[in-house]
Amino acid sequence: MTNNLPMITGIGYAIPTKVVTNNDLTTLYDTSDEWIYSRTGIKERHLFKNDAEAFELLEKAARQAINNAGIDVEDIDLIIAATSMPVQMMPTISCTAQRLLGIKRNIPAFDFSVACSGFVYGLDIANAYIRSGIYKNILILTFDNCSRYLDWTDRRTSILFGDGIGAAVVSAGEENDILAIDIKADGHVGDYITLPVPHGNCPFVETNDDKQILAMKGQDVYKFVANIIPNYITDTILAQNNIDSDTVDYLILHQANQRIIKAVQERLNYTDDKVISNIEYLGNTSASSILIAMGEAIKQGKVKTPSKAIICGFGAGMCWGGGVIRLREGVFRKENIF
Ligand code: COA
């Protein structure tokens, strides 16, 4: 028996209370609930009302995951945070979480940026560290404050995203919960989704007036994802790991577009009860969408535990990644919602 197998022992999530409906967006530009819903499956999204709420929810999601894992905050020996749209660049989100949780030890903590693939990349990092024996209890955080980086006069992008936070604890143990995991990138099509950083006022170099706003070539992104993701799940995630899709209970895809979720569902020939979707009332919460969908679905009884789920994230970079994970009993417990 080895003690270095990755067990997903706890998950947590937090959703802001401020709701913005499609009808609210009609006050900003020429659009309609029907246009947005029919193309994306989105009816509303939740936004952090301020930075204080974002940090409060970060701590809440992290504590949920840690409580579900049944460990103390001091047992965490690494914090990693997937964040491409943080509230601040420094201190990092992972270091902020260390402070908010009151962790006294000088454990390592770092952020990484892979947009909507954040949770899957985080799981891949955790998998490698746990199997190598370097760390025993890793806290993965996903934190994207999308609303902060959108142009709210742009009806092509600001309809899509919402804010939210996810958390998971991966611990070293005797059972393997990560049955398949893979991450990929293709930087050659990086211009499909961009978020430039303005070049301040250094008098010694060329500066620019770039706005720190997310821009997206919507149709290119849609085609890229629709071409790549269904095959990637069947060929790379399932076939290469000798996993029959019929032996997996749920599909928990990144919540980017209901039409993409449907396309993957059809490819896998899954019935509706096997497919988890909350995009209708949360929009695309970027790195957090898979963890939020997972936690919520367990809370609502749509996902039973123990079970297995296909997960897959994709987005800016372009980056993507997927896996098959075991959802053990107790990974998310209703009594730990606070
Ligand atoms: N309301 C009404 N009309 C809108 C609109 C809105 N919110 N957004 C765009 N339009 C209009 C455009 O102005 C355009 O009109 P025009 O031809 O007169 O200029 C027309 O609708 C088509 O625009 P287009 O951008 O081509 O729309 P689309 O059919 O591609 O749908 C998306 C836009 C964003 C819904 C779609 O491209 C998409 O879902 N892409 C994937 C996005 C995604 O998942 N991103 C995250 C990846 S992590």
Side-chain angles (χ1 to χ4, degrees), residues 19-230:
V19 178
V20 176
T21 65
N22 288 348
N23 282 333
D24 293 331
L25 297 181
T26 63
T27 64
L28 303 181
Y29 35 65
D30 182 15
T31 191
S32 66
D33 177 52
E34 195 282 324
W35 196 98
I36 299 171
Y37 185 66
S38 63
R39 280 165 182 81
T40 66
I42 300 168
K43 277 204 167 282
E44 55 189 47
R45 65 287 293 145
H46 292 227
L47 311 184
F48 299 138
K49 67 173 186 272
N50 54 33
D51 296 358
E53 184 188 47
F55 288 132
E56 201 180 295
L57 296 180
L58 174 66
E59 181 183 347
K60 181 174 153 178
R63 286 198 190 278
Q64 268 178 28
I66 293 166
N67 286 356
N68 283 325
I71 58 173
D72 186 79
V73 291
E74 294 298 339
D75 294 326
I76 300 286
D77 48 13
L78 170 69
I79 304 176
I80 57 176
T83 179
S84 306
M85 291 174 272
V87 164
Q88 63 202 19
M89 301 304 290
M90 297 178 208
T92 57
I93 296 301
S94 49
C95 284
T96 303
Q98 180 190 21
R99 175 180 62 79
L100 292 170
L101 292 168
I103 296 175
K104 294 190 188 68
R105 293 191 304 136
N106 297 331
I107 58 166
F110 65 89
D111 289 7
F112 60 100
S113 170
V114 278
C116 305
S117 311
F119 173 56
V120 182
Y121 267 66
L123 206 55
D124 188 74
I125 296 168
N127 182 46
Y129 271 134
I130 293 286
R131 286 181 189 275
S132 70
I134 297 177
Y135 299 113
K136 297 288 177 213
N137 293 297
I138 300 176
L139 176 63
I140 305 173
L141 299 168
T142 58
F143 181 110
D144 274 323
N145 188 184
C146 306
S147 61
R148 196 184 198 99
Y149 295 90
L150 296 169
D151 175 358
W152 289 91
T153 65
D154 177 5
R155 63 181 183 171
R156 289 171 193 258
T157 52
S158 56
I159 56 169
L160 297 173
F161 297 90
D163 299 332
I165 295 170
V169 172
V170 184
S171 298
E174 294 188 346
E175 289 170 47
N176 175 28
D177 290 343
I178 303 179
L179 307 175
I181 189 87
D182 180 79
I183 50 175
K184 295 267 188 290
D186 179 358
H188 300 284
V189 285
D191 64 331
Y192 286 180
I193 305 175
T194 54
L195 208 179
V197 178
H199 195 304
N201 64 351
C202 175
F204 306 109
V205 298
E206 280 179 30
T207 56
N208 65 46
D209 296 328
D210 284 350
K211 293 206 164 40
Q212 200 159 1
I213 277 172
L214 184 140
M216 190 178 63
K217 296 181 178 172
Q219 289 210 7
D220 289 334
V221 173
Y222 189 88
K223 281 184 212 147
F224 182 86
V225 171
N227 281 337
I228 285 192
I229 295 303

